Amino acid sequence: MSVSHRVLSPSSPADTAPGEVSFQHLAHLTDDIGVFEGAVLTVPVREGGYCVDDVARAFVVTAREPEGSAALTELATTYLSYVLDAQADDGAFRNRRAVDGSWSDAAAVHDGWGRALWALGTGVARAPELSDWRALEAFTKGAALRSPSTRSMAFAGLGAAEVLAVRPRDVVARELLSDAATLIAPPDPLLGRRPTPAEGWHWPEPRLSYANAALAETLLAAGSLLGVWKWLTEGLAMLSWLVETETTDGLVSVCPASGWGLGEARTPFDQQPVDVAALADACARAFDVTADPRWSAAVGRCSAWFEGANDAGTVLHDRDSGGGCGALAGRVGHADQGAESTIAMISTFQQAKRLGVDGGTA
């Protein structure tokens, strides 16, 4: 397969301000196929290729950006094409793609499936002129499947929530969101289906792992959109506990990539930007549902995390490139500005700006 490559034009100037949304580095990581997964400092690692996880996330942030431009539309069109191409006939999604355009894995219902449905739902709700019927058709086909993974289902459920925001009677989206919430929500312990959580551990899993807040956000979305009070209250309780657990001395301090469970020693480092972004998304939805200012304040702290209000005191926002640095590794930030960390930063800044807590300050 012969593919021509070009890096798309940046849509923002250099020298971005603290908390400012910029697509400059994301554009630099993007070519005709998608967004390159890795980078050495600011240089894309082309031989590493692309993955649907990152491309789907990139589409979400470009599609929901209120200040659009021709360059931003070009980026979104590239990302949407990748997501659509990744879908197999049965509705599952391939994930990894080489720089020559060939796929290197089989279609499955993994996190990539969930994130792809999130992207497609976002296209239906926020970029109808770009996605026309294709996003809804692909979402409907993919949403007929189910994953045993709570996070995959959470990501897919957030896509369903996007669809329901503009198509509240969509049966396929309603069933997917309901099934995601049912998988996530802790059952009533009186029914004997699961042991009562340990005292002080208000979470449906024995350990925190990655993108934890997405589980609480899915319950919030399901509770508010489907009118299920139990899911709404449980989602708020879970998110409240998570925010308290992941706040240290007024700073966001998400659990490390290795995870964390009750009674385990917890390191303040190896924190991932994607976890901060998930926390910001969930708190932003909680604010939308409740109008409680404590949730918008939490979004502000997530934004500030990228600007140095973290356990290492390290700025992870490269204001020259517009990129986001990787995890807090040891007592410093990882300098490589790959797709995941850059998109996570953009997503967090978007939520902060929307709620009026932008600028990298709480």
Side-chain angles (χ1 to χ4, degrees):
M1 179 178 182
S2 176
V3 177
S4 63
H5 293 277
R6 62 190 174 89
V7 173
L8 299 179
S9 302
S11 56
S12 302
D15 301 321
T16 53
E20 181 181 347
V21 176
S22 169
F23 292 90
Q24 172 181 294
H25 185 59
L26 186 62
H28 179 61
L29 293 175
T30 301
D31 71 354
D32 287 351
I33 294 180
V35 58
F36 289 106
E37 180 180 17
V40 174
L41 299 180
T42 61
V43 180
V45 179
R46 297 175 180 272
E47 58 270 23
Y50 328 82
C51 67
V52 76
D53 285 284
D54 287 338
V55 178
R57 282 185 278 226
F59 180 75
V60 169
V61 296
T62 52
R64 76 182 184 188
E65 174 60 29
E67 299 176 6
S69 66
L72 206 58
T73 298
E74 186 178 9
L75 288 174
T77 301
T78 298
Y79 303 145
L80 179 61
S81 295
Y82 183 108
V83 172
L84 292 170
D85 288 346
Q87 190 172 41
D89 291 341
D90 66 353
F93 284 83
R94 295 176 287 259
N95 186 27
R96 304 211 63 85
R97 199 171 190 179
V99 73
D100 66 358
S102 62
W103 297 96
S104 57
D105 61 355
V109 284
H110 40 41
D111 280 5
W113 163 81
R115 291 194 183 278
L117 291 183
W118 190 353
L120 293 168
T122 301
V124 172
R126 303 175 190 246
E129 73 291 343
L130 177 64
S131 61
D132 51 65
W133 57 269
R134 297 174 300 161
L136 180 60
E137 181 181 64
F139 172 86
T140 302
K141 183 163 63 172
L145 305 178
R146 297 292 182 268
S147 171
S149 163
T150 53
R151 276 158 186 75
S152 298
M153 286 293 288
F155 302 147
L158 293 173
E162 291 284 339
V163 173
L164 291 173
V166 294
R167 297 171 57 89
R169 297 184 179 180
D170 190 294
V171 174
V172 173
R174 290 179 71 88
E175 290 179 349
L176 176 59
L177 183 55
S178 177
D179 286 349
T182 300
L183 182 63
I184 294 166
D188 186 339
L190 295 178
L191 299 180
R193 289 181 288 179
R194 186 179 301 175
T196 303
E199 184 177 353
W201 186 260
H202 198 106
W203 199 253
E205 303 168 315
R207 300 181 81 254
L208 295 175
S209 56
Y210 65 97
N212 298 294
L215 275 61
E217 185 185 358
T218 302
L219 289 184
L220 293 177
S224 58
L225 292 167
L226 303 180
V228 181
W229 180 252
K230 177 184 183 300
W231 287 338
L232 181 59
T233 55
E234 184 61 33
L236 288 170
M238 283 172 56
L239 186 58
S240 245
W241 177 85
L242 186 65
V243 168
E244 181 180 358
T245 300
E246 297 193 325
T247 302
T248 302
D249 296 329
L251 304 178
V252 168
S253 180
V254 293
C255 78
S258 57
W260 179 69
L262 193 66
E264 298 178 9
R266 179 175 161 194
T267 172
F269 302 110
D270 200 17
Q271 298 175 34
Q272 302 292 315
V274 68
D275 292 319
V276 179
L279 191 63
D281 275 350
C283 290
R285 187 178 294 271
F287 178 80
D288 292 339
V289 171
T290 67
D292 187 333
R294 69 180 172 129
W295 297 119
S296 58
V299 175
R301 291 194 296 274
C302 290
S303 178
W305 184 89
F306 288 94
E307 299 293 356
N310 51 54
D311 289 309
T314 298
V315 175
L316 300 174
H317 175 199
D318 184 336
R319 297 170 195 165
D320 291 327
S321 71
C325 301
L328 291 180
R331 295 186 178 273
V332 297
H334 198 292
D336 293 340
Q337 298 173 29
E340 182 179 280
S341 57
T342 295
I343 295 165
M345 184 187 72
I346 291 172
S347 175
T348 303
F349 287 172
Q350 283 179 322
Q351 295 289 20
K353 183 176 181 180
R354 182 175 70 83
L355 299 185
V357 290
D358 61 312
T361 58

